[in-house]
Amino acid sequence: MSALTFTASQEAAIDDVDSTLQLIACAGSGKTQVLAQRIARILAQPGVRPGNVIAFTFTEKAAAELKERVHSVVRSEIGEATGLAEMFIGTMHGYCLDLLQTYVPETFKYGVLTDITQQLLIDRESRRSGLTTCTKMVQGVETPLKRYLDTRTYRTALSVLQEDDVDFSRVRDVVIESLGSYRELLDYRKYFDYTSMMVDAVEFLKRVQQQDDLTSSERVLRDHVRDEVRYVIVDEYQDVNPIQERLVERLVHYGANLCVVGDDDQTIYQWRGSEVSNIITFANRYADVRTIELAENFRSSKGVVELGRTVAQRLNSSERLSKKMLYASHQEWHRGDLLALQFGDVHEEAEWIAQRILDLQGMPFVDKPGAAPRGLSWSDCAVLFRSVKDADAVVDELKRRKIPFIIKGLARLFDAAEIQACVGLFEYMMGEISASDLRARWDLAALIPDASRWAKLIAVLDDGADFGKSDRWGTYNIQRLYLKALEALGLREETVPGDARRRELVMYQLGKFSQAISDFEAIHFSSAPDRKYEAFVKFLQFQAPGVYEESDEDAGYVQPDAVVISTVHRAKGLQWPAVFIPFLRQGRFPMRGMGGVQVIPHIIAEDAVANGARYKGGISDETRLFYVAVTRAQKYLYVSYAPGEKRGQGKASEFYLHCTASSWMSTSDEGLPDAERLEPTPKLETPNIAISFSELKYLFDCPYQFKLRFMYGFNPPIHEALGYGKGLHDALAEMHKRALAGDVPSSDEAEALVDRHLHTPYAYPALREQLHRAAVEAIDRYFDRHGGDLTLTIHSEKQISVDIAPGVSVSGRIDLIKSLETDETAIVDFKSTARSQDEDVTRDQLAIYALGYEELSGASADRIQILNLDDQGKSTNDPVDPSLIAGIKQKVASVADDIRANHFVCMHDHSADGAFDDLVGLMPTGAGAGKS
DNA sequence: AATGACGTTTTTTTT
DNA sequence: AAACGTCATT
């Protein structure tokens, strides 16, 4: 596709920016490139601005890729374009959250619950969350849901109830009441979960579109959707669920152009609510739909394409759109490229796979038509499983042969010896294990750099377990205790025993543990200390092991050259020259139906949900999954099966048998052809690097701290005043936004503004009051000094994004852009703590803001101000300096190179730097020591 | 038709 | 910090 020649249907899809479009894109059809071209075509029209376009993707990763492609097409076809950051390319969740936090002031302060924090919240407040008031019907008997045990099912029930098309008259009253009390709890604790951010956004859009008595911000949103949203594009449309479809309908309500892209044969998330009928009946539901089929497969050899086609044909023609998939790539099929093999047991199977991976090394492979062949390497091979739990034999064999691999989708963090050592810290504190047990665990993990420090560690733990020493619950901060424990041991990257690789791996694990603490403490921060630590240990023992994935080398920006072991689900959208699909055993793939309590029918009756049966899954869903697996292969495809020991594990899967019946497949291995081997060279993929303002600040300050925080995942302890700065920010944002809408707030609203925006969930009552008073004073002061300028607001909270170099972008928000009485334009950044910072860094930050404004508007700002909201704080007002701006580009680009090279050196003398309190114990002690 | 062993997935979504 | 449905076997 580098030559940028398109097929007739691709051309049609790119050119038609006016019809309601339905693109049926088969596997490997170059859909992302087509979308990028189409978006560029849209932007090239007179009168169209980037802000008129919304493109939804399924994942953040897909969004980053599409964004990068759009930018590169725009650069080459239109040249410089401004305001590209105004175009939304991202997930629907991201869009909804953004919408709420831009237009609904009451929600500015809301935080977002992840799966884990949501589960923790539901369990902690098991009654108020509706968990234990909800019941399940098992064989006609109604029993209440149980704390911890049924939480998972309850969470799914909550999302089905809210995201699907539900007939509530068929839902039992207790279930509806539980949902109500969960929603109240979320509201009370000021949280969104992944469901409520969608539901609330759709509700809000609906109200704005149907009612007349609107507030100023509601009017702004209505006008925005009516006048600004002109093109809506939805990728992976086959995986859209009912609430997402409702969102799309709302956005095109005033006639915006809609283009959906998908392949019904690749619907693999039905168990999560994906509704295939959205794509199948699309042409009936929208008027004047033009359907274009992107049938050419540019990815795979003829053999793979033909096999894929026959797999898809196993589906009932009534449940799929009739379509073709045509071989159109340069990959040639040779007899023996596709094998279906049977082995005596799983070990033989694993041995063969490992051997074939070795044999493939250096095999010539051509990535693109006309390109020079390269030798295949580890990362060109993938082993795909229905469930990655079946991967043990393959994993062992690859380890044995020292073949590098990364495994995705296995929650194994808590199997690691390092993590068990960390868990031990808290088990010791709670008296569950003895000091010598603890010592044994740390010895097992080979993690004690200096045995003389052991007594220090014990002292820290004993002190931490003394719950009588203070009445302030905030004293018993788990994260701080963890960091203190590591410090007591003297455990830092430089002191971890072993080589550099092991040191890095251990730091990743310890960082992940820090993340687990943050998750727990976000919910349990204000519990009585002894009960909190007790609950934490239970969390570590029972819940956490099933949740956290082991960190691998994939965590950073550096792509390792390693064999990929993955589930089929995670492989969607990816491709490899060689794909293995082992373990094709009856009952595994296709996976046999599941027992146990299910949301449908045990909590919600099947007939209460439109097409509720889809959550159960069936043979069609498994077939589509197998179709996805097969079509990942570019050339070599090896499916295999081996019987297991136990009964019921002896038979081959019907998918395996299907493959053996294909004339493109061989059922015996005749060896690879005698091609001359080349030097194995992994496909070079420069990862896109997207950094936010705040991350950049850390990078400039101290690259090693950046690595600790954002790559290893270490989190600072929760501060009790957390939320104060954000509250001020949000109050100011509302003031400026209302001013923009012509609804200028007056100084007597200060108190109300603070009430609405200040949320300090971790503060004890006295602190909370104190923060409240301080906030009201700060807002009063702002009205006093700047109230008259409110009408001069140009933008509030403006999202900006700067492409520094190809593949490197920096994004963030500018607090305020306003015009001055002097007729100059100023960029304003609010500061709310008097924390002193390196003068240099602040100037860098200012330069980024200036750059961002230029990118946004095409014009340059005149002044940059830092406005300190504190009473005594220092503010600044500087000119925009062109030489500074040129310098910053250079600086960011070099920082990006460091990220790509995994090079995060710290030049600081941390002992002299107050800003690094939190993680100072993990900083290298040697670095910068020579500095005065 | 009744019994008992067996296994119990998949995973995205925010700063 | 459990109990259920499914499937193979009899």
Side-chain angles (χ1 to χ4, degrees):
Chain A
M1 245 152 302
S2 54
L4 292 187
T5 50
F6 294 102
T7 65
S9 51
Q10 287 180 327
E11 285 284 3
I14 293 167
D15 283 339
D16 189 345
V17 298
D18 297 318
S19 312
T20 303
L21 264 192
Q22 180 189 37
L23 304 182
I24 307 300
C26 79
S29 61
K31 147 195 97 160
T32 307
Q33 189 61 32
V34 168
L35 279 185
Q37 296 282 349
R38 185 170 184 275
I39 292 173
R41 190 64 48 92
I42 289 170
L43 294 177
Q45 296 180 107
V48 176
R49 292 175 302 102
N52 299 139
V53 180
I54 296 174
F56 290 128
T57 59
F58 197 58
T59 64
E60 277 303 322
K61 203 174 145 219
E65 196 183 324
L66 182 58
K67 221 181 270 181
E68 166 61 21
R69 297 256 199 120
V70 170
H71 286 209
S72 106
V73 176
V74 166
R75 263 198 306 273
S76 69
E77 293 195 355
I78 309 182
E80 286 303 303
T82 54
L84 283 183
E86 302 269 279
M87 173 169 54
F88 183 89
I89 299 182
T91 64
M92 294 203 195
H93 290 87
Y95 183 84
C96 289
L97 186 62
D98 206 45
L99 184 134
L100 291 165
Q101 303 205 319
T102 303
Y103 296 100
V104 188
E106 286 73 20
T107 70
F108 289 179
K109 59 175 172 285
Y110 275 49
V112 175
L113 292 174
T114 63
D115 282 349
I116 304 160
T117 49
Q118 185 195 24
Q119 178 157 344
L120 281 162
L121 179 66
I122 290 174
D123 281 331
R124 182 184 148 146
E125 318 235 355
S126 56
R127 194 165 187 89
R128 287 222 287 169
S129 67
L131 172 67
T132 52
T133 57
C134 188
T135 60
K136 56 186 170 189
M137 293 296 291
V138 178
Q139 290 170 340
V141 184
E142 184 174 13
T143 42
L145 296 187
K146 293 207 174 109
R147 200 177 183 185
Y148 308 119
L149 256 37
D150 292 312
T151 314
R152 234 185 118 94
T153 319
Y154 182 61
R155 285 200 299 133
T156 336
L158 290 172
S159 62
V160 171
L161 285 169
Q162 298 176 89
E163 297 196 22
D164 213 303
D165 198 357
V166 176
D167 174 0
F168 279 92
S169 70
R170 293 177 191 271
V171 179
R172 287 177 294 121
D173 287 343
V174 279
V175 178
I176 297 174
E177 283 159 20
S178 288
L179 169 63
S181 81
Y182 174 73
R183 289 304 312 243
E184 265 174 44
L185 177 65
L186 278 192
D187 202 47
Y188 175 72
R189 303 265 308 227
K190 309 301 173 200
Y191 280 123
F192 285 126
D193 62 20
Y194 293 131
T195 293
S196 71
M197 66 177 78
M198 300 269 321
V199 171
D200 289 3
V202 171
E203 270 303 305
F204 190 59
L205 281 170
K206 185 176 165 190
R207 198 174 66 241
V208 154
Q209 290 176 350
Q210 291 183 342
Q211 293 183 6
D212 294 325
D213 56 327
L214 302 179
T215 65
S216 66
S217 50
E218 287 171 339
R219 275 199 310 276
V220 174
L221 173 62
R222 191 240 287 132
D223 297 349
H224 166 74
V225 175
R226 192 186 54 203
D227 306 332
E228 303 284 309
V229 178
R230 293 172 56 190
Y231 295 91
V232 177
I233 292 155
V234 187
D235 193 11
E236 305 284 9
Y237 188 67
Q238 76 284 351
D239 277 325
V240 157
N241 74 13
I243 186 93
Q244 293 170 326
E245 172 60 24
R246 273 175 253 154
L247 173 68
V248 172
E249 281 166 13
R250 286 290 154 201
L251 290 175
V252 300
H253 183 257
Y254 297 107
N257 173 267
L258 176 62
C259 167
V260 302
V261 193
D263 178 2
D264 53 301
D265 290 337
Q266 295 188 64
T267 309
I268 58 174
Y269 288 107
Q270 74 301 322
W271 47 271
R272 219 164 70 183
S274 297
E275 178 52 280
V276 211
S277 69
N278 277 326
I279 192 165
I280 292 184
T281 64
F282 183 78
N284 308 330
R285 287 180 299 120
Y286 287 85
D288 302 322
V289 171
R290 177 171 178 201
T291 301
I292 297 176
E293 201 179 328
L294 303 177
E296 285 88 355
N297 178 316
F298 298 100
R299 173 186 295 155
S300 310
S301 73
K302 176 106 175 155
V304 173
V305 169
E306 292 302 319
L307 179 71
R309 207 217 319 262
T310 60
V311 171
Q313 278 164 353
R314 291 172 66 92
L315 295 163
N316 289 330
S317 54
S318 64
E319 58 187 356
R320 66 187 287 249
L321 296 164
S322 76
K323 67 165 99 53
K324 318 180 265 295
M325 172 163 66
L326 304 172
Y327 163 65
S329 84
H330 64 286
Q331 299 294 348
E332 288 173 25
W333 171 84
H334 295 289
R335 172 59 64 192
D337 284 354
L338 278 64
L339 298 178
L341 301 174
Q342 179 165 353
F343 297 93
D345 62 51
V346 288
H347 303 290
E348 273 181 39
E349 186 180 35
E351 275 167 34
W352 185 86
I353 291 170
Q355 188 56 50
R356 177 49 56 106
I357 290 173
L358 286 167
D359 292 344
L360 281 167
Q361 296 302 296
M363 276 296 278
F365 183 81
V366 178
D367 287 306
K368 291 180 197 166
R374 68 180 170 94
L376 290 181
S377 187
W378 309 121
S379 53
D380 294 308
C381 302
V383 191
L384 304 183
F385 291 92
R386 172 68 240 264
S387 162
V388 87
K389 284 174 183 152
D390 294 338
D392 286 348
V394 171
V395 166
D396 290 344
E397 188 61 24
L398 293 182
K399 271 188 191 155
R400 201 174 68 77
R401 303 222 196 182
K402 301 207 179 344
I403 296 174
F405 67 92
I406 52 176
I407 180 161
K408 300 183 175 205
L410 209 48
R412 273 208 179 146
L413 180 70
F414 279 68
D415 290 354
E418 300 89 33
I419 297 299
Q420 280 309 310
C422 291
V423 172
L425 298 174
F426 298 95
E427 288 174 334
Y428 168 77
M429 284 179 70
M430 299 317 287
E432 292 193 11
I433 62 172
S434 68
S436 59
D437 295 337
L438 179 60
R439 180 62 195 258
R441 289 217 204 158
W442 283 79
D443 282 334
L444 190 68
L447 264 189
I448 309 179
D450 179 358
S452 66
R453 290 178 167 267
W454 185 254
K456 277 194 173 177
L457 172 69
I458 297 295
V460 166
L461 299 180
D462 288 343
D463 181 60
D466 173 13
F467 298 120
K469 66 175 181 282
S470 161
D471 288 338
R472 272 243 327 265
W473 288 0
T475 321
Y476 305 92
N477 190 303
I478 302 178
Q479 188 79 251
R480 188 174 298 124
L481 184 101
Y482 174 59
L483 294 172
K484 264 163 106 180
L486 296 181
E487 195 177 351
L489 271 179
L491 197 64
R492 295 183 302 277
E493 185 158 2
E494 54 180 358
T495 66
V496 173
D499 60 11
R501 221 182 80 81
R502 141 109 168 142
R503 286 202 290 269
E504 194 164 55
L505 234 50
V506 166
M507 292 307 280
Y508 269 119
Q509 307 278 54
L510 297 179
K512 283 240 170 160
F513 192 79
S514 169
Q515 183 59 55
I517 296 177
S518 296
D519 290 339
F520 178 84
E521 217 163 26
I523 302 300
H524 286 263
F525 186 83
S526 4
S527 302
D530 50 342
R531 290 185 50 203
K532 166 167 148 178
Y533 275 80
E534 208 169 305
F536 182 54
V537 169
K538 296 286 175 241
F539 168 70
L540 294 176
Q541 291 170 339
F542 293 103
Q543 291 187 298
V547 169
Y548 294 95
E549 286 184 18
E550 189 167 21
S551 44
D552 50 44
E553 293 130 292
D554 209 15
Y557 290 94
V558 187
Q559 287 283 326
D561 181 22
V563 174
V564 173
I565 300 178
S566 156
T567 60
V568 182
H569 284 91
R570 287 207 187 189
K572 191 181 185 191
L574 305 177
Q575 60 178 30
W576 292 271
V579 168
F580 298 80
I581 312 175
F583 226 93
L584 289 174
R585 217 183 253 171
Q586 193 179 75
R588 295 306 300 171
F589 198 0
M591 183 77 81
R592 76 146 175 245
M594 252 229 310
V597 175
Q598 304 291 313
V599 171
I600 295 175
H602 299 108
I603 297 182
I604 306 167
E606 186 174 323
D607 63 358
V609 180
N611 189 15
R614 73 186 190 280
Y615 283 95
K616 197 159 176 273
I619 186 64
S620 307
D621 302 304
E622 297 290 315
T623 305
R624 284 188 271 263
L625 200 55
F626 190 62
Y627 171 79
V628 168
V630 163
T631 52
R632 297 311 96 196
Q634 289 174 273
K635 184 166 168 66
Y636 303 103
L637 176 64
Y638 306 114
V639 302
S640 59
Y641 132 82
E645 311 267 278
K646 294 175 178 157
R647 72 186 185 125
Q649 298 184 342
K651 290 185 187 158
S653 130
E654 55 192 280
F655 294 157
Y656 174 80
L657 297 175
H658 177 96
C659 291
T660 60
S662 164
S663 52
W664 301 90
M665 281 253 168
S666 301
T667 50
S668 64
D669 178 16
E670 294 161 57
L672 286 168
D674 259 341
E676 194 188 329
R677 300 303 155 101
L678 308 171
E679 182 64 26
T681 358
K683 192 174 178 186
L684 195 64
E685 280 184 81
T686 325
N688 290 327
I689 295 181
I691 335 175
S692 69
F693 281 0
S694 49
E695 288 170 333
L696 193 67
K697 195 163 84 69
Y698 284 105
L699 267 174
F700 284 161
D701 259 2
C702 171
Y704 188 69
Q705 175 157 83
F706 173 88
K707 191 177 193 186
L708 279 176
R709 278 182 189 248
F710 300 108
M711 311 207 48
Y712 291 148
F714 282 98
N715 285 315
I718 288 178
H719 194 281
E720 288 167 301
L722 201 68
Y724 175 73
K726 176 149 179 29
L728 284 187
H729 246 254
D730 289 346
L732 290 170
E734 183 189 326
M735 288 158 61
H736 291 111
K737 281 177 183 168
R738 278 176 47 193
L740 274 175
D743 173 24
V744 187
S746 66
S747 57
D748 55 352
E749 289 181 64
E751 181 104 27
L753 282 162
V754 170
D755 284 341
R756 183 149 55 245
H757 293 287
L758 187 66
H759 179 51
T760 49
Y762 306 116
Y764 49 94
L767 177 61
R768 184 163 299 155
E769 267 175 49
Q770 183 195 329
L771 292 173
H772 187 94
R773 278 195 306 274
V776 174
E777 279 168 27
I779 297 295
D780 273 335
R781 209 158 39 234
Y782 189 85
F783 269 117
D784 219 37
R785 295 182 192 167
H786 305 282
D789 310 345
L790 280 173
T791 48
L792 299 177
T793 306
I794 301 174
H795 292 295
S796 164
E797 300 263 280
K798 200 67 187 169
Q799 183 70 38
I800 61 156
S801 153
V802 192
D803 286 344
I804 299 291
V808 185
S809 65
V810 181
S811 60
R813 273 200 180 132
I814 296 181
D815 289 339
L816 175 65
I817 298 162
K818 69 174 185 181
S819 48
L820 303 175
E821 290 159 336
T822 50
D823 257 359
E824 294 166 304
T825 309
I827 297 168
V828 183
D829 189 54
F830 299 121
K831 288 261 174 287
S832 57
T833 46
R835 179 195 279 187
S836 68
Q837 276 172 343
D838 228 312
E839 201 59 30
D840 220 27
V841 171
T842 312
R843 281 166 61 87
D844 285 340
Q845 236 177 319
L846 298 184
I848 288 280
Y849 290 150
L851 203 58
Y853 182 72
E854 237 180 76
E855 159 81 25
L856 178 75
S857 64
S860 108
D862 302 298
R863 312 292 301 177
I864 305 186
Q865 305 181 347
I866 297 204
L867 219 159
N868 199 310
L869 302 170
D870 297 337
D871 196 12
Q872 315 280 335
K874 176 174 168 260
S875 298
T876 61
N877 182 337
D878 297 303
V880 171
D881 179 348
S883 70
L884 203 72
I885 293 184
I888 196 69
K889 283 194 176 180
Q890 186 63 42
K891 204 165 171 180
V892 175
S894 91
V895 154
D897 287 342
D898 285 343
I899 297 180
R900 290 213 174 95
N902 194 25
H903 186 251
F904 300 94
V905 185
C906 152
M907 308 301 286
H908 252 84
D909 179 8
H910 294 289
S911 52
D913 197 337
F916 295 108
D917 282 336
D918 290 335
L919 301 179
V920 75
L922 295 168
M923 293 292 174
T925 50
K931 216 169 107 178
S932 62

